[in-house]
Amino acid sequence: MISGWILLSCVSGLLASDMPKRPNILLIVSDDQGYHDAGFKGSDILTPNIDKLAGEGVVLENHYVMPQCSPTRASLMSGRHAIRNGFWKGNIPPAGEWGLRLNETTMAEMLKRNGYKTHAVGKWHCGFYSWQHTPVQRGFDTFLGGFLGAQKYFSHKRGAGFDLRENYYNEQGEFVEELRKDLNGVYNTNIFTDRAVQIISDHDQSDPLFMYLSYTAPHHPFEIMGSDLKEYTGHMSKSTSKRKTYAAMISVMDRGIGKVVDALEEQGMRDNTLIVFFSDNGAVMGYPGSNYPLRGGKHGLAEGAVRGLTFVNSPMLKTTGYTNKDLFHVTDWYKTFQALAGDKPKKANKEQLPLDGMNVWNSIAKNQRLGREDILINMRVPEKIHDDIPEPRIEKRAPRDDILEFKTSNFFVIRHKNWKLYSGRYLLQGWTSENNLDGFKGASKLESGVKLFDLDTDPREERDVSASNPGVVEEILAKKEGYEEEMTWIGKRPNTGKLKNNLWKPWVEL
């Protein structure tokens, strides 16, 4: 249960007396990258820098994220599961009048109150209907990127609307919005890399650095420079053109990550920097990514949707070069960074809402067991959706959410130890092939009832063993009530945003 996470967080924190103090933190998130889509996973995609960092660091085999972009990012930024921060129903659409609630203390706010310089680069996707919901007003000192969930890589547009901006407060304390139309035609992965390198080069090392480098690659639309396509995919003769483009997008991101790490080395910051890399969810079924050998992909609930490609790298780690098979969750990074920063939330001016993650430092740094048994994948409860009353938050307007990609109703999906249980009515997808060379196996369809898989013996989720394990099913289903009690309810959320002068920007004054 969620409360169990909190108890485990407290216990874990007590064991971390030898944690490094206020290290630099480089948090890199890729977008819709498949579980199999890096060289160290056996892919034919060229990722030498990622492979080196993973090989010399710690690979997290069971790092769970949410099935979609916004819920993962909101859970990361808040340290709270999507069922508690209001993102359990899905993504924020471009015109959606809702976002990460303002009473949530973001990771950037928490680190900033502990002396960190905080910078966000790339994709936001945690809401922008008011300026108060945008990165620089959520704890980041600077932001260069897009507010929405996707954009074209050269024109930086979503539809007809432009969405590449730079935000910061100037020396007079005035909020600045600079539209970076001068970068029209420049590939955005390169823009984000160059900005990250600049931030590192300009950083005053008397303060610790937190950089959230949130690439849009390899999220669609699938676009790439012709020269990069030629350089990175000449060996992929059996792949489709779209797969080659997707692969080159990842390779260009990998090249950028190499430049960022080189910048840390050049500035003498590498030894005191923790690098965390993960994909926000699995590759989309039907697109060119591969989650092999796992089942499913983005928007679903199977392992291919919610096990992000993840590694950690730092000279501060005591044990490296191995794969850690503990159960991790995206909310853990908040609690871990909080411990590294030496934060004392009870002394903060803003009330800290209860966190759902664990301080995982001893697990990743020393390969010590976490002791976690449960990971809530997601749940949906129709009774928690109210059309006619405001949400329990401090914004002035009640949002609604009528973006529901798959017409599921009431489901509860959870991992307990080696078991994965599905109940209710839920989307269950098929499988992608290795390197996506042989297409897809099994159709995506809505299922009803209970299914149980033993991930130790059946990691591909092919054999339902619920009938032969009724006691296990009963034990796990008994957990649902506790999670439901922790769920935040949500209102209906209108899509009221409109382009103005072909620009995406906040439209509601709070």
Side-chain angles (χ1 to χ4, degrees):
M1 295 188 182
I2 298 272
S3 58
W5 292 6
I6 296 169
L7 284 172
L8 285 170
S9 298
C10 296
V11 171
S12 181
L14 295 173
L15 301 175
S17 59
D18 58 345
M19 293 180 69
K21 305 301 182 185
R22 299 205 312 163
N24 303 310
I25 299 169
L26 173 58
L27 175 59
I28 306 173
V29 178
S30 64
D31 199 355
D32 290 6
Q33 184 177 1
Y35 177 82
H36 186 258
D37 290 331
F40 76 91
K41 284 291 188 179
S43 175
D44 58 357
I45 298 175
L46 301 179
T47 56
N49 295 293
I50 287 174
D51 298 345
K52 186 173 189 294
L53 290 168
E56 296 176 354
V58 180
V59 175
L60 306 188
E61 179 67 19
N62 297 303
H63 179 259
Y64 283 85
V65 293
M66 299 303 296
Q68 293 171 280
C69 307
S70 289
T72 290
R73 293 160 196 274
S75 297
L76 173 68
M77 284 291 112
S78 67
R80 288 158 51 81
H81 196 282
I83 70 166
R84 294 229 275 187
N85 64 34
F87 279 75
W88 49 269
K89 204 179 171 195
N91 274 337
I92 302 177
E97 192 183 310
W98 61 290
L100 184 62
R101 297 164 181 166
L102 297 181
N103 59 343
E104 300 276 0
T105 301
T106 68
M107 177 183 289
E109 289 177 281
M110 179 272 293
L111 290 171
K112 189 172 184 176
R113 73 190 181 203
N114 288 281
Y116 276 76
K117 298 301 181 184
T118 57
H119 302 274
V121 182
K123 173 173 170 173
W124 177 236
H125 210 191
C126 286
F128 74 102
Y129 77 89
S130 82
W131 282 112
Q132 288 92 326
H133 287 84
T134 60
V136 169
Q137 300 198 36
R138 301 307 301 263
F140 288 100
D141 294 322
T142 68
F143 172 69
L144 174 66
F147 291 156
L148 277 68
Q151 62 174 240
K152 293 182 178 178
Y153 283 75
F154 295 99
S155 69
H156 317 302
K157 291 182 177 181
R158 175 78 179 259
F162 187 78
D163 183 33
L164 183 64
R165 64 242 301 154
E166 188 168 356
N167 296 149
Y168 56 93
Y169 283 96
N170 63 21
E171 292 180 356
Q172 290 73 42
E174 301 167 327
F175 177 77
V176 176
E177 156 91 333
E178 290 184 12
L179 300 178
R180 296 304 306 270
K181 292 187 177 182
D182 59 306
L183 295 174
N184 182 40
V186 182
Y187 195 65
N188 75 1
T189 302
N190 294 334
I191 292 171
F192 301 151
T193 293
D194 290 346
R195 181 51 176 269
V197 170
Q198 178 191 359
I199 288 169
I200 292 168
S201 298
D202 294 345
H203 179 64
D204 180 351
Q205 296 184 41
S206 60
D207 297 311
L209 170 68
F210 169 56
M211 179 157 47
Y212 176 41
L213 178 52
S214 179
Y215 284 109
T216 56
H219 194 293
H220 70 84
F222 301 114
E223 298 179 329
I224 193 67
M225 294 278 291
S227 57
D228 288 327
L229 183 67
K230 182 177 180 180
E231 178 177 355
Y232 292 116
T233 63
H235 63 293
M236 299 175 66
S237 59
K238 296 182 179 180
S239 295
T240 65
S241 60
K242 186 173 285 189
R243 170 72 178 178
K244 291 178 182 179
T245 298
Y246 170 90
M249 292 168 74
I250 293 175
S251 294
V252 170
M253 177 180 66
D254 175 84
R255 181 178 68 198
I257 291 171
K259 290 180 179 180
V260 174
V261 174
D262 286 346
L264 290 171
E265 295 274 9
E266 291 167 6
Q267 297 301 315
M269 297 169 62
R270 181 75 169 90
D271 288 348
N272 191 40
T273 297
L274 173 65
I275 300 172
V276 177
F277 172 96
F278 65 87
S279 177
D280 64 347
N281 45 248
V284 181
M285 295 291 289
Y287 280 19
S290 174
N291 300 314
Y292 179 86
L294 305 179
R295 184 172 192 167
K298 181 179 179 178
H299 304 297
L301 296 161
E303 295 292 283
V306 295
R307 273 180 42 197
L309 180 73
T310 307
F311 66 81
V312 182
N313 181 289
S314 175
M316 296 177 290
L317 303 178
K318 303 297 184 183
T319 306
T320 57
Y322 74 98
T323 296
N324 187 313
K325 297 187 177 182
D326 266 339
L327 299 183
F328 296 88
H329 193 264
V330 66
T331 55
D332 293 337
W333 300 116
Y334 192 117
K335 192 75 175 180
T336 304
F337 296 168
Q338 186 174 49
L340 289 168
D343 183 53
K344 300 185 184 304
K346 291 183 179 179
K347 295 184 178 181
N349 292 328
K350 182 177 181 180
E351 179 186 3
Q352 175 81 67
L353 299 177
L355 299 176
D356 294 331
M358 297 174 64
N359 173 6
V360 299
W361 178 257
N362 282 340
S363 179
I364 61 175
K366 303 177 183 178
N367 199 18
Q368 293 182 3
R369 291 299 309 276
L370 273 177
R372 173 185 270 148
E373 295 184 344
D374 291 349
I375 293 284
L376 175 66
I377 305 303
N378 203 10
M379 61 190 300
R380 184 161 292 151
V381 180
E383 292 77 15
K384 294 285 185 175
I385 303 172
H386 300 276
D387 298 345
D388 55 348
I389 49 179
E391 287 197 4
R393 61 175 193 168
I394 60 175
E395 283 90 332
K396 294 180 180 178
R397 298 190 177 203
R400 54 183 268 256
D401 182 0
D402 34 21
I403 301 299
L404 187 57
E405 290 85 351
F406 302 97
K407 299 299 181 181
T408 56
S409 52
N410 189 336
F411 65 75
F412 173 65
V413 181
I414 186 172
R415 175 167 180 173
H416 172 65
K417 299 180 181 178
N418 56 302
W419 304 104
K420 175 82 171 284
L421 180 133
Y422 297 74
S423 66
R425 182 169 170 79
Y426 45 86
L427 176 73
L428 198 56
Q429 300 164 311
W431 296 263
T432 49
S433 57
E434 186 172 8
N435 294 319
N436 214 337
L437 292 177
D438 298 318
F440 305 90
K441 172 187 175 184
S444 298
K445 58 183 178 179
L446 289 174
E447 298 275 4
S448 296
V450 172
K451 291 187 184 298
L452 182 70
F453 299 96
D454 182 348
L455 297 180
D456 280 354
T457 61
D458 181 25
R460 287 171 57 81
E461 299 176 272
E462 294 178 306
R463 300 182 296 277
D464 174 18
V465 295
S466 58
S468 58
N469 293 275
V472 173
V473 171
E474 182 180 5
E475 177 189 358
I476 300 176
L477 281 176
K479 298 174 182 289
K480 180 182 177 183
E481 183 179 355
Y483 283 107
E484 189 169 329
E485 290 174 355
E486 297 285 350
M487 283 186 82
T488 184
W489 56 271
I490 62 175
K492 295 283 280 184
R493 293 165 168 166
N495 295 318
T496 57
K498 295 181 180 179
L499 290 178
K500 188 174 182 180
N501 299 322
N502 292 325
L503 174 67
W504 292 106
K505 66 181 298 183
W507 64 95
V508 173
E509 292 187 10
L510 298 181

